[in-house]
Amino acid sequence: MSLDETAESGGQGYGLLKSYRPFPGVSDELLDPAGNVRPVWRPFLDHLSSLSIEDINDRFARGNQYLNDAGVYFRQYGQDGAMEREWPLSHIPVVIGEGDWQAIADGLVQRAELLEKVVGDIYGENRLVSDGYLPASLIAESPEWQRPLVGVTPRSGYFLHFLAFEIGRGPDGTWWVLSDRAQAPSGAGFALENRVATGRIFNEFFARANVHRLAGFFRRFRDHLLDLRGEQDSRVSILTPGPLNDTYFEHAYIARYLGFMLLEGEDLTVENGRLMVRTVAGLKPISVLWRRLDSAWTDPVELNEESHIGTPGMVEAVREGTVTMVNALGTGILETRALLAFLPRICEHLLGTSLKLPNVATWWCGEEATRAYVKDNAAAMMFSPALSTALPFTSGHTDFIGKDSDKFHKGILENWIDTEKGRLVAQEAVTLSTTPAYHEGSLVPRPMSLRVFLARTHNGWEVMSGGFARIGKEPSASAIAMQSGGSAADVWIVGTRKLAMDTLLHQSESPFFKSQSGALPSRAADNLFWLGRYVERAEGAVRLLRAYHARLLETADPEAPLVARTAEYLDDIGVAPESPIPEGLCSMLQSAVNSAGKVRDRFSVDGWLALNDLAQTANGARRVMKDDADVPQAMSLLLRKITGFSGLVHENMYRFTGWRFLSIGRALERANRMADLLSVFTGPDAPDGALELLLEVGDSAMSMSRRYAVSLSHATVLDLLAMDPKNPRSVMYQLTDMKEHIDVLPGASENGYLSDLARAVLQIHTSLAVATPETLTQDALGELRDQIAFLSVELSDAYIR
């Protein structure tokens, strides 16, 4: 059925196709060369036609809301610096039949095997250069060629374990490889999230559409990595550049999804040639490392000395064969743009056959005959640096098409080509195929490229049944990059029969056994500890600010003794109440967000969203609130959100060691703040009403009335807020809580002796247990506060530094 017949066949959904007009001479995924809708798309279009425009919009909003709730983002860089941008989902999937996909998969598996041989030769015998199949300069001058790795055989026997290929369909319908991604391929996690979001948008249809699932691909790759460990007590980890990386969300997501530790360079050290992770239980071996940062940055000793995110000695561990790197260091050389010019011939030489899936036609300008051809055909070619590893259409000013360049119009392009020579590569100016995208209430054709992932498993290379598509913002192919405003779509590989459900979980027949508790890296422990402190610090500030503004409204006199003393105290702790919502409070909450952001792999999505919502609420109130009279109500709202977040974390977080560090941080901050408040507001010079303020800030007014038959006094307040082991706001309660957590931390006792930290908290706990309200003078409370604060140093010395 033709496009016009389809658009007129009924249903509001088909009305979306009325403005769908493919570009002349451009291949289209929806339509065949005759202009008819491809059969593989027909069921999806039938489903779309059954939906009203309002229903379609509601469904798209549902998918967007899922991504927002899941915290999916990518970091966009521009003139104003980096910012987190919502994941730009293109809601219409790209639909491909499993027969067509199998041909693509066969071609990519062959290409993966070829790349393995090429990189093995580059770092091994170097026969491709010596026999004239590769120019020596192309290797030696590349910043991706890592000389210290020459002659190093990977521990696993393979250089490549996980690959991505950027592919596109040309005007004649042929699929091309646009780029090979072997350095640290990104996007697999985003492909998973695209699938979940799109599956929710079209949930009824997706369930019966015979779409190939993704979970089995990840399960088999995970199992292969676990088998590569060798020793059962060693670990598989993912190495990330850190939260400022543009795809950090994906690193954390994949780590959480597969159950691997997410590490940064500072988490690791090399001892006796072995890679170790610093944990709160000491150094633990890492035998498989899936790196998500470029090779040069992994080791400042032997690779890039300017790296602050690597691990000194990493190359030594690889050379000693104690760690399997995924992918091997130095494999970024395979992404060199000019290498595409030589792969067809190399494939025939090494594999004895031609490429099943050709790459985009490429010419290296280092040879005179090639330059002559390029100059004769320059108007139809794209030019870029020969050693570039950037994706096509995303490298900005480094790429240009001959016919559109100033050099071409000025007639000096030929001289420029002769001058640049081997520093230049020319490629056929690709016209990408188009696929349907939703734009302003209708479907329109937009240029598309696919990112396809391959993983090495027990059975060799396996191709993910899908991936994700980059969709152009404009008809021009130059805007498909998400950094340039493009979007990402799910890729559905559709079969002809019902597929078995596949999940990440094993259905094992072997006996059940409990796995060992995961190791907690010291950096993660530090961030969890400070997350607990910052959230508790913010809660204490909110309670005190609410009490301050309530009294200011009652007296209308900022010079009243209690009001002035409270304002002075707030100023001392960094939340001066000159503005209704102090900047210091927002800074505390942002510090909590920053700490949580560094342990995204260990933090629930709900907890992350609740914490971000809390910080955004405070910042929003700070921008709009002008009247002090509204502050108590605003603080009550913030207080409910803080306690909601704390309750969510406390109720849902598994009681691993990480939860204990979070709890210790919270208890230490609360105990320290309460001891400090008591030292200031129970002294002989405390203004009238100070005891009532303490009860309010300590959320203990009701407990006071029920606990004590006598009237409010200095002694009863000290007993309730300092010494009562049953009051969760008291110093004693928090010390007891800390003591219980510290007593079960690794190394809390050894050979029958307590650690310095365990001994210190026991001494403080005991001294308070034998105290009386009479002995808790202002000086004694100040000393108690200082002792509690010093526990942070003791904990850092024992587990963090």
Side-chain angles (χ1 to χ4, degrees):
M1 184 180 292
S2 70
L3 180 64
D4 290 335
E5 291 172 328
T6 299
E8 298 297 332
S9 63
Q12 293 188 59
Y14 276 133
L16 296 172
L17 289 172
K18 289 184 177 180
S19 60
Y20 195 89
R21 291 295 177 267
F23 306 130
V26 176
S27 177
D28 188 81
E29 297 303 312
L30 176 64
L31 306 177
D32 65 19
N36 298 317
V37 176
R38 297 180 190 272
V40 73
W41 279 88
R42 175 64 59 182
F44 177 74
L45 289 181
D46 288 343
H47 174 70
L48 201 62
S49 73
S50 69
L51 307 175
S52 68
I53 298 300
E54 293 76 14
D55 192 12
I56 290 172
N57 290 332
D58 288 344
R59 287 167 177 266
F60 288 176
R62 184 166 68 199
N64 293 340
Q65 187 62 50
Y66 163 76
L67 293 171
N68 183 65
D69 290 346
V72 184
Y73 73 92
F74 79 101
R75 194 173 298 278
Q76 185 173 26
Y77 295 91
Q79 294 181 346
D80 298 329
M83 60 177 294
E84 289 186 5
R85 179 186 165 194
E86 293 181 357
W87 184 246
L89 178 68
S90 183
H91 305 89
I92 304 299
V94 176
V95 183
I96 301 175
E98 61 183 0
D100 291 338
W101 187 255
Q102 186 59 53
I104 292 172
D106 290 345
L108 293 180
V109 167
Q110 180 207 45
R111 195 174 185 90
E113 293 171 348
L114 174 63
L115 293 180
E116 175 69 39
K117 290 181 177 295
V118 169
V119 72
D121 178 80
I122 289 174
Y123 288 100
E125 296 182 351
N126 208 18
R127 295 294 298 275
L128 292 175
V129 170
S130 63
D131 292 347
Y133 289 94
L134 276 177
S137 62
L138 204 63
I139 305 302
E141 295 177 8
S142 172
E144 301 302 334
W145 181 57
Q146 307 301 335
R147 183 183 294 272
L149 276 305
V150 172
V152 177
T153 301
R155 177 174 179 260
S156 67
Y158 295 105
F159 287 83
L160 303 173
H161 298 269
F162 194 85
L163 293 169
F165 296 97
E166 204 77 16
I167 67 173
R169 195 198 292 263
D172 63 352
T174 300
W175 286 98
W176 295 330
V177 174
L178 305 176
S179 179
D180 304 306
R181 313 311 294 172
Q183 174 76 270
S186 63
F190 291 127
L192 276 171
E193 287 289 30
N194 284 344
R195 172 58 54 85
V196 176
T198 308
R200 293 194 179 191
I201 293 171
F202 303 108
N203 55 313
E204 308 100 323
F205 176 77
F206 183 84
R208 63 175 188 274
N210 301 332
V211 177
H212 288 241
R213 306 302 171 117
L214 305 181
F217 171 86
F218 286 97
R219 185 185 71 248
R220 288 181 283 275
F221 181 52
R222 179 198 62 189
D223 293 348
H224 179 63
L225 294 184
L226 290 172
D227 285 348
L228 288 176
R229 291 177 300 169
E231 312 87 359
Q232 289 297 314
D233 65 334
S234 64
R235 289 157 178 80
V236 180
S237 299
I238 297 176
L239 180 62
T240 175
L244 296 181
N245 185 263
D246 56 346
T247 57
Y248 176 74
F249 166 82
E250 189 209 0
H251 304 168
Y253 178 84
I254 287 289
R256 187 167 56 238
Y257 183 70
L258 298 180
F260 296 154
M261 282 196 295
L262 184 65
L263 304 176
E264 296 181 30
E266 64 181 286
D267 295 324
L268 297 166
T269 187
V270 176
E271 282 204 351
N272 299 320
R274 190 165 195 186
L275 189 65
M276 312 291 281
V277 57
R278 296 183 176 94
T279 78
V280 297
L283 297 178
K284 301 295 181 182
I286 298 291
S287 55
V288 180
L289 193 64
W290 185 2
R291 65 177 178 86
R292 301 302 301 271
L293 74 162
D294 291 354
S295 300
W297 301 99
T298 58
D299 189 340
V301 174
E302 297 201 53
L303 300 178
N304 188 337
E305 63 182 12
E306 297 182 359
S307 174
H308 297 288
I309 57 176
T311 304
M314 183 77 78
V315 171
E316 177 192 354
V318 171
R319 190 180 290 119
E320 291 293 326
T322 61
V323 61
T324 295
M325 195 70 69
V326 179
N327 289 326
L329 297 177
T331 50
I333 188 71
L334 296 174
E335 298 183 0
T336 304
R337 188 80 59 90
L339 189 62
L340 296 175
F342 303 94
L343 283 181
R345 184 169 173 239
I346 291 174
C347 182
E348 293 179 353
H349 170 64
L350 294 180
L351 301 184
T353 185
S354 59
L355 287 170
K356 294 180 180 179
L357 199 65
N359 51 244
V360 60
T362 305
W363 297 268
W364 178 61
C365 296
E367 299 170 338
E368 184 175 353
T370 303
R371 286 197 301 276
Y373 177 84
V374 168
K375 286 184 286 186
D376 288 342
N377 298 274
M381 292 185 177
M382 181 178 73
F383 294 87
S384 60
L387 300 181
S388 172
T389 59
L391 284 171
F393 311 112
T394 64
S395 49
H397 68 277
T398 61
D399 291 357
F400 66 87
I401 296 176
K403 65 182 176 62
D404 298 326
S405 72
D406 292 339
K407 293 182 176 67
F408 187 86
H409 293 297
K410 293 177 181 177
I412 60 174
L413 183 59
E414 292 184 358
N415 290 335
W416 179 78
I417 292 172
D418 285 331
T419 301
E420 291 297 309
K421 296 183 180 178
R423 294 189 296 270
L424 188 66
V425 68
Q427 292 183 293
E428 181 179 352
V430 176
T431 300
L432 293 174
S433 66
T434 55
T435 193
Y438 186 77
H439 179 67
E440 296 181 352
S442 62
L443 293 181
V444 295
R446 287 290 181 262
M448 169 207 73
S449 71
L450 298 185
R451 174 158 289 203
V452 187
F453 302 92
L454 276 71
R456 191 181 294 279
T457 69
H458 297 119
N459 298 319
W461 286 107
E462 179 172 343
V463 181
M464 180 191 292
S465 295
F468 78 81
R470 299 176 190 269
I471 308 297
K473 180 181 180 182
E474 305 292 342
S476 169
S478 62
I480 66 170
M482 287 177 288
Q483 295 284 353
S484 305
S487 55
D490 191 15
V491 179
W492 289 4
I493 309 306
V494 178
T496 57
R497 55 186 176 79
K498 186 174 179 60
L499 301 169
M501 182 64 69
D502 203 356
T503 71
L504 194 66
L505 302 176
H506 282 296
Q507 299 296 326
S508 176
E509 300 297 329
S510 58
F512 167 79
F513 68 93
K514 287 186 177 181
S515 60
Q516 295 178 343
S517 297
L520 179 67
S522 298
R523 180 185 52 84
D526 190 34
N527 281 295
L528 288 166
F529 171 72
W530 279 101
L531 171 60
R533 291 201 66 174
Y534 285 132
V535 171
E536 182 60 35
R537 188 174 296 178
E539 180 180 340
V542 166
R543 290 182 180 277
L544 194 56
L545 282 164
R546 183 175 65 170
Y548 164 80
H549 281 281
R551 283 154 181 78
L552 181 60
L553 291 173
E554 290 174 1
T555 63
D557 180 10
E559 301 301 324
L562 182 59
V563 174
R565 174 66 65 86
T566 307
E568 180 182 358
Y569 185 86
L570 286 166
D571 188 50
D572 289 343
I573 65 172
V575 285
E578 282 83 2
S579 61
I581 307 294
E583 181 181 355
L585 175 60
C586 295
S587 296
M588 290 176 185
L589 292 171
Q590 187 57 50
S591 294
V593 171
N594 292 341
S595 293
K598 294 174 182 177
V599 286
R600 286 288 295 270
D601 59 312
R602 298 176 177 273
F603 213 63
S604 73
V605 172
D606 288 336
W608 172 254
L609 292 174
L611 185 57
N612 269 285
D613 178 58
L614 174 59
Q616 291 168 7
T617 300
N619 282 311
R622 175 173 169 76
R623 288 192 297 268
V624 303
M625 188 170 295
K626 305 299 181 184
D627 192 344
D628 286 350
D630 297 329
V631 174
Q633 182 178 359
M635 290 299 159
S636 294
L637 172 62
L638 288 176
L639 186 59
R640 289 194 295 273
K641 291 199 172 192
I642 290 175
T643 54
F645 165 78
S646 298
L648 177 69
V649 171
H650 182 77
E651 290 298 322
N652 295 324
M653 194 170 179
Y654 194 87
R655 271 43 176 172
F656 277 138
T657 306
W659 170 77
R660 297 194 182 278
F661 275 88
L662 180 70
S663 300
I664 291 170
R666 181 185 180 197
L668 189 151
E669 188 66 34
R670 183 174 291 187
N672 178 262
R673 179 62 62 219
M674 181 54 69
D676 192 41
L677 282 167
L678 291 171
S679 72
V680 172
F681 288 95
T682 62
D685 62 342
D688 291 341
L691 297 181
E692 288 86 348
L693 180 139
L694 285 170
L695 290 176
E696 180 181 338
V697 172
D699 198 20
S700 298
M702 185 180 297
S703 299
M704 172 62 71
S705 63
R706 292 185 175 184
R707 179 80 170 76
Y708 302 95
V710 298
S711 60
L712 179 67
S713 68
H714 179 274
T716 56
V717 168
L718 284 173
D719 185 60
L720 181 62
L721 295 180
M723 305 173 61
D724 194 328
K726 296 182 180 180
N727 181 9
R729 292 283 164 182
S730 77
V731 179
M732 175 58 79
Y733 185 96
Q734 302 307 321
L735 286 171
T736 302
D737 193 39
M738 275 192 287
K739 181 179 177 299
E740 291 175 353
H741 287 302
I742 289 171
D743 283 347
V744 294
L745 290 181
S749 64
E750 188 172 350
N751 298 324
Y753 293 96
L754 295 178
S755 67
D756 291 342
L757 175 62
R759 187 182 303 111
V761 73
L762 177 60
Q763 289 172 339
I764 300 172
H765 185 276
T766 302
S767 66
L768 184 58
V770 299
T772 65
E774 292 73 25
T775 62
L776 286 180
T777 63
Q778 192 172 23
D779 289 342
L781 287 166
E783 183 179 354
L784 175 63
R785 173 202 60 210
D786 294 343
Q787 289 174 338
I788 294 170
F790 192 71
L791 288 175
S792 180
V793 178
E794 297 272 9
L795 182 138
S796 181
D797 288 342
Y799 297 105
I800 309 302
R801 294 178 183 173

